[in-house]
Amino acid sequence: MLDLRPNCECCDKDLPPESREAMICTFECTFCADCVTDVLSGVCPNCGGEFVRRPVRPAAKLIANPASTRRVLREGCAPIKAA
């Protein structure tokens, strides 16, 4: 079962279970769509894999199968700063 990690590993943006901006690789590395496109060029920096949109778990299923609360941040990931 997917962890549904709560944040982008690059910019630390919150990615709640219902987020359609969450992108994952086959190892469930989790990044926001902006970082995948603008910073990572569509390639996972942890495993070199591709990204797909993370599926949304139905709210009723979150009761028995809650999302992870463990935040993960990747060292050296440099998100683009707004000017």
Side-chain angles (χ1 to χ4, degrees):
M1 181 172 319
L2 292 174
D3 276 344
L4 300 181
R5 296 177 186 164
N7 66 303
C8 173
E9 292 181 33
C10 188
C11 71
D12 201 27
K13 177 180 184 175
D14 289 338
L15 297 171
E18 68 277 5
S19 176
R20 298 208 178 264
E21 294 181 58
M23 305 292 286
I24 60 171
C25 71
T26 62
F27 290 98
E28 296 184 54
C29 302
T30 305
F31 295 89
C32 70
D34 289 338
C35 285
V36 166
T37 301
D38 300 338
V39 178
L40 305 173
S41 301
V43 178
C44 180
N46 300 323
C47 70
E50 69 176 324
F51 287 102
V52 296
R53 189 178 67 79
R54 183 180 72 189
V56 174
R57 185 170 298 157
K61 300 294 183 185
L62 285 168
I63 296 166
N65 302 287
S68 174
T69 57
R70 185 177 69 91
R71 297 181 84 81
V72 176
L73 282 174
R74 178 177 179 17
E75 280 191 45
C77 189
I80 295 173
K81 302 287 184 192

